[in-house]
Amino acid sequence: MALRLEAPVYVALSLASLCCVCLAAVNSGSSTSLSGLLPPYDELYYRGVRAYFSEDWEKAAEFIELSISTREALRKIRRKCHDDCSTAGDEIVARLDTEKGRIWDLWALDWIQRRAECIRFCLGRAVTPSGQLPVSSDIEYEFGTRNAYNFLQLIYYELGKPKKAAAAARTFFTANPSHLEMRNNIEKYRRMAGVTEDDFQDRERELEKHWEVYDAAVTAESSSDWARAVERWKACVNETLKQTDECRAQCVVTSQRLPEETDSVEGAYEKAADLILTLLACKQTCVALVSTRPGRISPQEDFLPMQLEHLHIAQYKAGDLKGAVQTLRSLLLFYPNDTESLSNLQLYLESLEGDTEAQATGPSQEISNYISRALAEKKLLYFGVENLEFKFFDPDLWTPENIVPESLRESWRAEREQLNEKLKEGEKMLEVDDSGFYAGGPVPLVGVTITMDDEALNGTNRVVLDGVLSQSECDTVTQLANIAASVGDGYKKRRSPHTPHEKFEGLTVLRAFKLAQDGMVNQSDAKLLHEIGERARILIHSYFRSHSALYFSFTHLVCRSAIPGHQDGRLDLSHPVHVDNCILEPETRQCWREAPAFTHRDLSAILYLNDDFDGGELFFTDRDAKTITARVKPSCGRLVGFTSGPVNPHGVTAVTAGRRCALALWFTTEKRHRDMEREEAEAMLGTDGQKVKEEKEALDSNLAPARSGRSQSSKGRSKERERVSSGRDEL
């Protein structure tokens, strides 16, 4: 039975650096170190992953399980320290009411410091110093996506423990419901002897209890079992509050990012303010985290108020009018002017006529505390936004307008008015690209023509250019790929990162130069691969009027080949619909600019080398990932360019016969994210490398001024388009 694992690339890359780190001794039978303190769970995880790739299945299972249990133990210790230190320094609070000016500031700092020291000493009694350090964003992503269980399901399969493999597979699949390979693995486990449905247990269930109760409440409500619905909705509210508190407790040791500009935070007060605001922002973020269902990217809006709305209706239907009044008054704390809620409250009060005690029932104390705490935190955070340039994204829709600074409210009002005007006029709302790039710049290379522009491609900031390569150049680079490209390059040598029906081969510029240095390929072919990438950069830089220097982020010569005998009834894509610099969520039409997306990518391009294959067309879609807006058929020397953001979701249709080769290029305006491997390759060129650099600078100097097209007058833009169009028509 073939089971598959998709392990993120950075795990394997991190293992190389791990070998250089002196690891603390770990007791193999316990999640504690020899000192009796909790070790860093990321260290245990890397050990397990390294054992996995060495096919030492026993060690792999041991260390990955230890990393999971250690992480959970660390969460509990943080919660305990949070609770134990909640009153630390409270004796100082009384003095704050009597002191003024700088003395007040000193007492306040002393109070904060005492609480921080309490937490530090509390953690120090249970966790090693290295275990207290924040883990990398890569590790956070690994555990956030439950990739540890992805490893475990295959490890336990190799160890002949299908029951444990089934539980691990189920746990991973819960958070990754669109993972087709894991779905197939689960079906294979079901067919194994001795495996029952009870074995498919979600091991992270404790963190999802509020969703379990939520689903039960919805089920009871849909069957009009109002007594059961009341019970379940109450449990859901309580569990949501509990999970929120658990999440907030973890913020006591939230990692603090150092400012990029060292002068941005100067004195002790500014640093203290920045740290406190970061802590409060972390706690506010828990609202979004708790209301995000496993396997989803975006939270369910108004999650807690929505539960209260369902609860008061269920209570009314079940005849519990007093409870309905309390719940509705709790809901009105979120939306005090909601006419429907006020109308319902009036109905409930009239129904309770004569029962003054029930009519006087106030909101839930837990909800009152929740609102008071949230408003106090939001006031401080918005103060930081207005006065300290702090960045805060409010997770709540119910935040009162008077909490928000007037300057922000003014900009929001202007946006709403503009939107309303457009809606009144019946104007179609077009996708707006805020990348700062503007299509329609000059094409600086002779013989290159614009085949399709924004209008022809039915989108924003898209272009198809032909004539970038000659047929002989296409043949040379394709032959280079035939000789030097390796299977699964960049994807842990897997046959294909996206589909089992194709073989994926890749080659980087640096590897091509190293092979040329060893005499494995012609040096002229490697230089050509480098040069055509530079040719594409010049065209993309000019056409999209890059507002700054444009650097290579990554260059990859890629070939996708249809595997004979694996094409019948095929319904998948060669490359699923995606966006290059953010995570697309088609259901909500949102695109989240966060890891693991390559958020630094600004412009994307594909330079095609051949057309002697079936399928393999590039297509653009709407944000729903279903509505196709344009198709591009590959051909030799055809360059497709587009901005890397959410206005350009795209995919590749299945390659059903033959071999499709293309040079994929991504560009960034951030120098720190430039492709260092490419620079290493250029250094290998020696004197030729200097020549390449000089030619690059000369070409760049002849380009149009690097500025946004939006800053040009409409007349100037019109002339630019006329000039480009006339050149195309002549050819």
Side-chain angles (χ1 to χ4, degrees):
M1 180 181 73
L3 297 177
R4 296 188 178 89
L5 169 74
E6 289 192 12
V9 176
Y10 50 72
V11 172
L13 294 177
S14 299
L15 292 175
S17 60
L18 182 66
C19 297
C20 303
V21 179
C22 180
L23 299 176
V26 177
N27 185 340
S28 62
S30 166
S31 62
T32 58
S33 65
L34 294 177
S35 63
L37 305 179
L38 283 181
Y41 69 88
D42 54 343
E43 174 187 305
L44 296 168
Y45 183 66
Y46 279 133
R47 282 190 168 192
V49 174
R50 184 169 59 180
Y52 169 86
F53 285 112
S54 300
E55 298 188 1
D56 186 348
W57 308 120
E58 291 285 355
K59 284 290 183 185
E62 176 185 356
F63 281 113
I64 292 180
E65 288 286 11
L66 278 174
S67 70
I68 293 171
S69 61
T70 301
R71 181 171 180 263
E72 180 56 30
L74 181 61
R75 285 178 58 87
K76 291 179 179 178
I77 289 169
R78 286 176 176 172
R79 177 62 201 238
K80 182 179 184 302
C81 291
H82 171 271
D83 294 343
D84 291 350
C85 297
S86 60
T87 58
D90 279 2
E91 68 276 7
I92 300 174
V93 176
R95 299 184 183 181
L96 296 178
D97 295 332
T98 59
E99 300 292 350
K100 295 181 180 180
R102 188 165 294 277
I103 299 298
W104 187 96
D105 292 345
L106 292 174
W107 282 120
L109 286 174
D110 189 33
W111 172 48
I112 293 170
Q113 185 174 350
R114 288 199 187 188
R115 185 161 296 187
E117 287 178 349
C118 175
I119 291 172
R120 182 164 60 87
F121 284 123
C122 178
L123 289 172
R125 290 193 295 268
V127 186
T128 60
S130 56
Q132 296 177 44
L133 297 174
V135 298
S136 68
S137 58
D138 290 348
I139 286 293
E140 288 179 350
Y141 175 76
E142 285 286 285
F143 281 87
T145 56
R146 303 188 184 180
N147 204 49
Y149 295 99
N150 191 0
F151 282 111
L152 281 177
Q153 61 93 21
L154 200 143
I155 291 168
Y156 283 130
Y157 167 73
E158 294 289 348
L159 290 172
K161 298 179 179 180
K163 290 178 178 286
K164 288 188 174 183
R170 177 62 192 175
T171 306
F172 175 80
F173 188 71
T174 299
N176 301 272
S178 61
H179 199 286
L180 297 181
E181 290 182 357
M182 191 60 70
R183 185 193 298 273
N184 293 335
N185 287 352
I186 288 175
E187 291 305 315
K188 291 170 183 175
Y189 289 134
R190 279 200 173 98
R191 295 194 293 268
M192 288 185 176
V195 177
T196 66
E197 283 301 314
D198 292 338
D199 295 320
F200 292 92
Q201 296 294 325
D202 183 357
R203 292 177 52 179
E204 298 283 340
R205 183 185 169 201
E206 282 297 316
L207 300 176
E208 305 157 8
K209 276 190 174 179
H210 58 302
W211 286 110
E212 187 177 311
V213 182
Y214 174 87
D215 291 336
V218 171
T219 300
E221 190 175 278
S222 62
S223 60
S224 299
D225 186 350
W226 298 113
R228 175 70 173 169
V230 169
E231 177 193 343
R232 294 294 83 196
W233 281 121
K234 280 184 178 179
C236 188
V237 170
N238 292 333
E239 195 63 38
T240 299
L241 292 172
K242 177 185 174 183
Q243 292 291 348
T244 303
D245 285 341
E246 288 289 339
C247 175
R248 289 169 60 87
Q250 302 304 311
C251 291
V252 296
V253 288
T254 184
S255 57
Q256 168 68 15
R257 293 184 180 275
L258 294 175
E260 292 185 6
E261 298 179 8
T262 54
D263 295 335
S264 61
V265 179
E266 297 176 352
Y269 297 119
E270 288 83 354
K271 288 181 179 178
D274 198 50
L275 285 167
I276 291 172
L277 290 173
T278 301
L279 171 65
L280 295 180
C282 173
K283 291 184 174 184
Q284 283 285 301
T285 302
C286 287
V287 174
L289 294 176
V290 171
S291 57
T292 302
R293 187 185 284 270
R296 301 295 297 273
I297 297 174
S298 58
Q300 186 160 327
E301 293 180 341
D302 266 350
F303 188 48
L304 188 55
M306 178 269 296
Q307 294 175 44
L308 295 173
E309 186 168 7
H310 281 273
L311 175 57
H312 84 75
I313 293 173
Q315 288 171 321
Y316 173 72
K317 297 274 190 180
D320 181 11
L321 288 177
K322 182 178 179 181
V325 168
Q326 182 182 52
T327 303
L328 192 48
R329 282 188 165 140
S330 299
L331 176 60
L332 283 165
L333 293 177
F334 292 93
Y335 293 103
N337 300 316
D338 183 65
T339 54
E340 186 175 339
S341 295
L342 291 170
S343 176
N344 286 332
L345 180 61
Q346 185 63 32
L347 171 64
Y348 296 166
L349 294 177
E350 290 174 357
S351 301
L352 286 167
E353 187 176 359
D355 189 346
T356 55
E357 182 183 348
Q359 288 178 325
T361 303
S364 159
Q365 188 60 49
E366 290 81 1
I367 299 298
S368 296
N369 293 341
Y370 178 94
I371 292 288
S372 299
R373 180 182 66 191
L375 290 177
E377 291 174 353
K378 289 175 190 291
K379 285 179 181 178
L380 289 172
L381 285 163
Y382 277 116
F383 176 85
V385 170
E386 186 177 30
N387 298 284
L388 303 175
E389 298 183 357
F390 186 79
K391 292 182 179 179
F392 167 60
F393 301 97
D394 197 330
D396 294 310
L397 297 177
W398 59 265
T399 302
E401 194 174 74
N402 60 2
I403 295 290
V404 183
E406 182 62 30
S407 58
L408 285 177
R409 276 186 275 165
E410 284 296 329
S411 64
W412 291 353
R413 288 193 198 104
E415 289 175 5
R416 280 200 299 267
E417 289 173 4
Q418 186 178 9
L419 178 61
N420 290 334
E421 286 298 320
K422 289 183 177 180
L423 291 175
K424 286 178 183 177
E425 296 169 4
E427 182 178 331
K428 181 182 177 182
M429 299 301 293
L430 298 175
E431 187 88 59
V432 176
D433 189 346
D434 59 359
S435 63
F437 298 98
Y438 188 82
V443 178
L445 299 184
V446 176
V448 177
T449 60
I450 300 174
T451 304
M452 302 175 78
D453 57 10
D454 281 355
E455 185 176 356
L457 289 167
N458 195 27
T460 304
N461 280 336
R462 303 172 181 174
V463 69
V464 176
L465 303 173
D466 278 328
V468 178
L469 299 178
S470 66
Q471 186 61 55
S472 63
E473 288 175 324
C474 288
D475 294 341
T476 299
V477 179
T478 302
Q479 183 61 26
L480 175 64
N482 293 339
I483 298 171
S486 58
V487 175
D489 182 66
Y491 294 92
K492 293 195 172 56
K493 307 302 178 186
R494 283 179 290 142
R495 184 166 65 178
S496 172
H498 307 298
T499 171
H501 304 290
E502 297 176 16
K503 182 172 69 172
F504 177 97
E505 299 167 287
L507 177 68
T508 63
V509 175
L510 177 60
R511 187 161 180 271
F513 273 103
K514 287 183 176 179
L515 291 172
Q517 198 174 52
D518 295 338
M520 304 294 291
V521 299
N522 293 330
Q523 191 172 40
S524 59
D525 295 350
K527 287 182 179 179
L528 177 60
L529 177 63
H530 173 274
E531 192 273 328
I532 63 174
E534 182 59 31
R535 201 181 301 175
R537 186 193 70 84
I538 290 167
L539 289 166
I540 295 298
H541 182 281
S542 178
Y543 185 79
F544 289 107
R545 295 168 174 157
S546 178
H547 45 275
S548 63
L550 201 61
Y551 303 94
F552 286 94
S553 172
F554 188 53
T555 307
H556 207 196
L557 175 57
V558 174
C559 293
R560 306 166 188 267
S561 305
I563 299 174
H566 288 71
Q567 304 302 315
D568 292 342
R570 184 176 172 186
L571 299 174
D572 64 342
L573 297 170
S574 179
H575 199 143
V577 175
H578 63 285
V579 176
D580 285 344
N581 70 9
C582 56
I583 302 171
L584 180 64
E585 188 177 61
E587 296 87 351
T588 61
R589 302 174 66 86
Q590 297 292 320
C591 204
W592 305 97
R593 200 154 184 178
E594 58 189 36
F598 297 97
T599 57
H600 56 275
R601 290 178 176 174
D602 297 305
L603 290 165
S604 305
I606 308 106
L607 180 55
Y608 295 110
L609 301 175
N610 66 320
D611 59 5
D612 53 339
F613 53 87
D614 293 337
E617 288 186 352
L618 175 74
F619 62 93
F620 292 97
T621 74
D622 195 357
R623 285 205 195 194
D624 62 5
K626 296 177 182 178
T627 306
I628 296 177
T629 57
R631 291 178 180 269
V632 179
K633 186 172 178 60
S635 62
C636 167
R638 172 165 288 181
L639 177 69
V640 182
F642 48 93
T643 49
S644 304
V647 299
N648 286 316
H650 57 283
V652 179
T653 61
V655 178
T656 56
R659 187 167 185 256
R660 172 192 188 269
C661 292
L663 185 65
L665 307 111
W666 293 273
F667 305 98
T668 179
T669 57
E670 298 181 58
K671 188 175 182 179
R672 62 195 177 100
H673 288 299
R674 67 191 186 279
D675 187 354
M676 301 304 294
E677 280 197 3
R678 187 179 182 90
E679 293 192 1
E680 184 180 345
E682 290 174 352
M684 292 175 66
L685 284 171
T687 55
D688 288 338
Q690 181 62 33
K691 182 180 178 182
V692 167
K693 184 177 179 181
E694 290 170 357
E695 289 176 352
K696 184 192 303 183
E697 291 172 350
L699 281 166
D700 283 345
S701 66
N702 292 326
L703 295 178
R707 57 182 177 179
S708 169
R710 291 186 177 87
S711 65
Q712 301 181 19
S713 66
S714 58
K715 183 177 179 181
R717 289 198 297 269
S718 177
K719 285 183 178 179
E720 195 76 82
R721 289 184 181 277
E722 287 172 4
R723 182 164 64 81
V724 172
S725 298
S726 63
R728 179 186 61 189
D729 293 340
E730 288 172 4
L731 294 170

